[in-house]
Amino acid sequence: MATITFPSFSRLTFTNHLPYKVPITQQRLFFSAPLFISPLTLKTLNPSFSTANPPRSTAITTSNLSTSDNSIHKTLKSRLKTGETLYGLFLLSFSPTLAEIAGLAGYDFVVVDMEHGHGGISDALPCLHALGATRTPAILRLPESCPTWAKKALDLGPQGVMFPMIDSPKSAKKAVSYCRFPPAGVRGSAHTVVRASSYGIDAGYLSNCEEELLIMCQVESEEGVKRVEDIAAVDGVDCIQMGPLDLSASMGYLWDPGNKKVRETMRVAEKGVLGSKAGKGGAYLAGFAMPHDGPQDMRSRGYHMISGAVDVGLFRSAAVDDVKRFKMSLMNGTDDEKEDDKESDEKYWSE
């Protein structure tokens, strides 16, 4: 149990986005569960950790290999505007534990995937709670582009929403309208009670929600690629998320997403998106890393949002590798005969 001592303060007050103040009269705070205190307050107080319970090492960060304190408070949208390249994870398991681990690991964002994951809105909520505890922005990918799914997702309060299968400017405009309150759009309003507005406590929600929301449209068909520049230019579309698997399937290469023709089509789409951005206020380029197309290669081509892994895939690979290691050890002899692998084994267990 970690102990934090606040020197020279006998009475502290923290405001945690609540309509009232909560006094804390004790100098020592014992944390057995997360305590939500404004980081700016903590920075101002400059707490000292007791030597008996030293602080844990900081989490590994991913955006440009370093994350400043300010990046925690910036929205995804504002970070994109400053030229950052953001690195994220797709969450298909709907596990709050894995969501929390992803946030603590330092991903810039996590996409809770309701399109290919098994869960829906009620399953996504605990994942948003877990990500919120680590101050990691959540993006909800919708099962389909429709006003009902968009409304329910937006009411949960993610930083972004991702619309699948957008193949024309018309469908992109509809997606944007689902995110806007009338008269600019068709989003239903329950802002006085939903989580997105802190259940009505956040008085500034209506003033900021549309400006801060990241709207992502997935282009994942040949038809979409043909019109990608027009889609990216639609007012309100912030990111074009390329979908290499569905694109390869639409081209007849379901089992070969790395096919030369698929890669060439991807390059055409990428240039179209980047062309829309050049001096025209168009969309940012986002996409998935693939075995034949790694994050660094994507970054060099102008991607500003890169999803490098899927939680289920990471666990699958680790589990398969673990079983393989054990079975290989049975074939190759006892552990005493593998002294040369000690260093790699230590790395394995430390991970």
Side-chain angles (χ1 to χ4, degrees), residues 83-252:
E84 291 190 56
T85 300
L86 308 179
Y87 188 67
L89 174 83
F90 266 63
L91 190 82
L92 268 71
S93 68
F94 283 81
S95 164
T97 299
L98 294 184
E100 187 175 31
I101 291 172
L104 293 171
Y107 284 104
D108 294 310
F109 63 89
V110 170
V111 179
V112 182
D113 190 358
M114 296 189 296
E115 182 185 16
H116 291 294
H118 65 269
I121 292 295
S122 58
D123 304 291
L125 180 57
C127 297
L128 266 64
H129 287 155
L131 292 169
T134 66
R135 300 186 181 277
T136 304
I139 296 170
L140 291 181
R141 178 155 78 160
L142 308 184
E144 62 177 322
S145 298
C146 72
T148 302
W149 275 109
K151 174 173 58 179
K152 294 179 76 67
L154 291 168
D155 283 350
L156 290 188
Q159 274 203 28
V161 288
M162 186 182 297
F163 292 89
M165 294 293 181
I166 300 298
D167 56 12
S168 70
K170 181 179 180 180
S171 58
K173 289 176 182 177
K174 284 185 177 181
V176 173
S177 75
Y178 303 155
C179 303
R180 302 283 190 256
F181 290 114
V186 297
R187 179 185 173 187
S189 175
H191 60 274
T192 57
V193 292
V194 295
R195 182 177 185 269
S197 64
S198 299
Y199 304 100
I201 294 172
D202 182 1
Y205 174 71
L206 289 180
S207 300
N208 303 321
C209 63
E210 293 180 0
E211 176 61 30
E212 295 178 350
L213 179 68
L214 187 74
I215 299 177
M216 306 179 71
C217 290
Q218 279 196 264
V219 171
E220 41 194 345
S221 68
E222 280 192 285
E223 182 62 29
V225 170
K226 292 176 182 177
R227 310 190 69 182
V228 70
E229 191 165 352
D230 294 331
I231 295 172
V234 169
D235 184 34
V237 173
D238 299 302
C239 281
I240 297 297
Q241 172 85 21
M242 296 305 303
L245 292 180
D246 279 307
L247 176 60
S248 64
S250 75
M251 297 177 63

